[in-house]
Structures are given as C-alpha cells and as structure tokens.
Amino acid sequence: MRIIIILIFSFISVFPQVNVQETQVADGVVHKKIINTNDTLVINILKIDIKKPDISILAVKANELLNTKETTSQMVKRYKISGYDVIAAVNADFFESDGEVVSNMISNGQIVKAVKFSDSPFNPFTNSQIASDADDNLYIEQFVFSGNLILPNGNVEEISRINSKSDSNSITLYNHFQGKITPPSSREWYVVDFVLFPLQSIGDTLKFVAAAKTTLRNFEIPKEGIILSSNNKYAHYLEREIKIGDTLRIVYNFSPKIKNIKSLTGGWPVLVKDGMNMIWRNTSIEGVTDKFSEQRHPRTGIGFSADKRTLFLITVDGRQPMSKGMTLIEFANLMINEGIFNGLNLDGGGSTTMVINDKVVNSPSDATGERLVGNCLMVIRK
C-alpha cells in the first residue's frame, strides 16, 4: 500500500495541474487564461490578428500629458468616452514618479517624448521599444531620436529632445503633450523661446513660421503649434538668426528608420529576438540587474509572431499566494512557447495590468489595487 501511495504522489507531481481557458473577445482577438496551481502561476495572454483591417494598436499617454499618471482602466474609459472602440489594453513603459515615460513615445502619429537615449540609470545605451506603422507592421528596436532645425540661411542645428527638461546649451521642442506651459529651467540660464505654427509637411520635413519670440519662462504652449526653446549659447545664436515671420524647417528622425510610425513606446529589455531567449544568452542585456531579472515578479510583455501577423499581450501575476510571478528567463520561455518570435518586456511589478472589455482580468499586486501608470497600449477596433 505504501508503494502505491508513493507512485500516485509521483504521478501527480510530474504532471502539473493546469487549467487553460480560451475565449474569443472579438473577431480576431482571443483571450487565453492559464491557471497553473502546480507552479503557482496565473497568466493572461491576448492573441490579436493585427493584420485584420479593423484592428489596430495604439500607444496612449496618461491624460494626454507627459508628466501625469492614470490607471490603465481609466485610460480605456477615457478613450471609450471620446469615441474609440477599445477592445483591450495593458500597461506599457517604465515611468518616473511624475508619470514621464522613460523612453521615446509616439501616440497616433504625434510625438509625446523623443530623446536620443532612454532616461534610464541602468542601460549603457538605450532601452528597446516597440513601434507600429500606419499599416500595423510591428518592430522591436533600440530606437534613437535625432532632430534637425534648418535655419533660413540653410544652417542645420541639432534638436536634442522633444518635451521633458532641456539640457544646457541645447534646442528643445515642446508640444501640447508637455502641458500648458514650458517646464522650468535653471535660473542661471539665458533662455529664448520661439512660437512656431505649422505651414506644410513634405515627407519627413515640417515647415513652420516663427510667429513670436520671448525670454519669459514658463511660456504658454499653443495647442496648434509648438515652442522652440533654446538656452545659453544656442539662445544667443538663434536670437540673432531667427526673425519673426521666418520659415523654419524641422526634420524628425528615428534610427533605425521606420516610415510613418503611428505608435511607439518603450520597454526593458528585449526578451526574444528571432525566436531566441535573449536573457538566456545574456543575463545583463540592456543593463538589467540580477534583482530585476532573476527574482520572480509580476510581468507585462508584448511580442509578435514570425510573420508579424499575430500580436501577443501577456501579463503574469505575482507577489501573491495564487501566483508567484516569473523571472525574465521564464517569461522569455513563456513567450517562445506561445509562438512569439520577437518579444519585449514592459513595466511589471505593481504596474502589471490587463483590461479586456472594460474589466481588469488579472490581479494587480499592489495592496491598493490597480496602479497609476505613465502610459498603456490599447487594442482598438477602427
């Protein structure tokens, strides 16, 4: 009898108790929920046929402002009220305490934030990001922003960033995502700002007219225009070179070069590339720490199949009795097993949230419930 009991126990332990439920959320969208009581995991996977003409993905900034936060479900509710048919959403990029996302972001073709390198204390280069173009083609790359201001005399000057705080001796552009006014800068700086309104768009080149100039701080950002802000040496230089009524040309570039980027948001780090587990190959990829990589945490991720037809959004609950979370190696393996050919880790921990049809379907780990985050990725029906 003792031998039989041991054999039965061994049989149960070898074969995990896994409950898998698949539900069609919409035409071309399937929700897969995995409850693995043996490994103590609860996983939500959304599989989207992104090539269906009526389905698209959209990066959304909290409150449409760089330095604010909302919950993922609040963003979904806000977009539905404004007329969008939102099927689902997950939280997206890592963010600062005020809600500013760490990496580049484009929402509906408009730049929310653009920097040469991610504002990350860990990565020696720049964080990986996921982009979709006007045809919903998907790309995971370490995108680097570069911008050029072409003056009336033909001289070309570098634009260091779009939105966020300026660096010394630099040119920064501010649009409505920055807020109502330009952000504060050092009192010791000499600052000259120009109000620009759009004239024409030709390919990657945008033409603007210089409508006003000011040395006032915290200047109002026009809803239909932008502020070209210069400081210190550049302020003296541009004050001499730009006259009211001048036509200026501005060129935005992201490298690698992708045409007509519609949505762009950051993550950290890339987990799967060309079907390979990148964490397995390099445990410190993109500067990830052992604590972040090797400990089990709640996780959010995004990826796509080899043919780029199927988009995957994944959450793994953690820090709870019913789900312990995953290491990055485990998370990458999950992606590969589900059919992801290229995959990116998004912000996890207490931020991990998946919303389907207005309902939070995972279990956020914060004691207070769903966390306020910097941005999200939505699946919408056009």
Side-chain angles (χ1 to χ4, degrees), residues 24 45 54 119 160 275 312:
Q24 185 166 330
I45 302 169
D54 62 336
D119 294 327
S160 66
F312 297 82

Side-chain angles (χ1 to χ4, degrees), residues 44-155:
N44 286 279
I45 302 169
L46 206 61
K47 297 186 286 186
I48 304 114
D49 184 353
I50 200 65
K51 290 302 181 181
K52 285 187 67 64
D54 62 336
I55 290 179
S56 187
I57 187 169
L58 181 64
V60 173
K61 185 65 186 74
N63 296 304
E64 308 304 309
L65 292 170
L66 181 65
N67 301 110
T68 62
K69 295 181 286 187
E70 280 184 294
T71 65
T72 302
S73 58
Q74 284 172 341
M75 285 183 260
V76 169
K77 182 178 180 180
R78 181 164 55 82
Y79 262 63
K80 292 195 79 169
I81 290 173
S82 67
Y84 282 85
D85 187 355
V86 183
I87 299 170
V90 294
N91 67 290
D93 197 6
F94 297 82
F95 56 94
E96 308 289 354
S97 60
D98 64 357
E100 179 174 336
V101 290
V102 168
S103 294
N104 296 311
M105 182 179 174
I106 295 176
S107 178
N108 221 4
Q110 295 183 300
I111 295 178
V112 178
K113 178 179 177 178
V115 290
K116 193 177 228 27
F117 307 120
S118 301
D119 294 327
S120 168
F122 305 105
N123 198 333
F125 178 32
T126 194
N127 291 357
S128 289
Q129 300 142 59
I130 184 160
S132 65
D133 63 19
D135 297 318
D136 286 303
N137 296 309
L138 302 168
Y139 310 87
I140 294 176
E141 300 283 356
Q142 290 175 290
F143 289 102
V144 173
F145 168 75
S146 63
N148 290 318
L149 168 66
I150 305 172
L151 297 172
N153 62 10
N155 287 355

Side-chain angles (χ1 to χ4, degrees), residues 21-35:
Q21 295 179 333
E22 290 199 0
T23 307
Q24 185 166 330
V25 176
D27 188 21
V29 182
V30 174
H31 175 215
K32 180 179 181 181
K33 192 177 189 76
I34 303 171
I35 301 175

Side-chain angles (χ1 to χ4, degrees), residues 71 320 350-351 363-372:
T71 65
Q320 301 170 77
S351 299
S363 178
S365 64
D366 283 356
T368 53
E370 190 182 354
R371 179 181 289 183
L372 297 166

Side-chain angles (χ1 to χ4, degrees), residues 11-23:
F11 179 83
I12 292 172
S13 65
V14 168
F15 294 93
Q17 297 178 16
V18 181
N19 181 284
V20 180
Q21 295 179 333
E22 290 199 0
T23 307

Side-chain angles (χ1 to χ4, degrees), residues 335-355:
M335 286 185 169
I336 293 168
N337 291 337
E338 289 296 324
I340 290 176
F341 194 65
N342 288 285
L344 177 66
N345 185 63
L346 300 174
D347 187 20
S351 299
T352 290
T353 307
M354 180 180 285
V355 177

Side-chain angles (χ1 to χ4, degrees), residues 198-215:
L199 292 174
Q200 189 180 19
S201 174
I202 304 174
D204 294 334
T205 303
L206 306 175
K207 286 187 175 183
F208 291 86
V209 61
K213 178 180 71 173
T214 181
T215 57

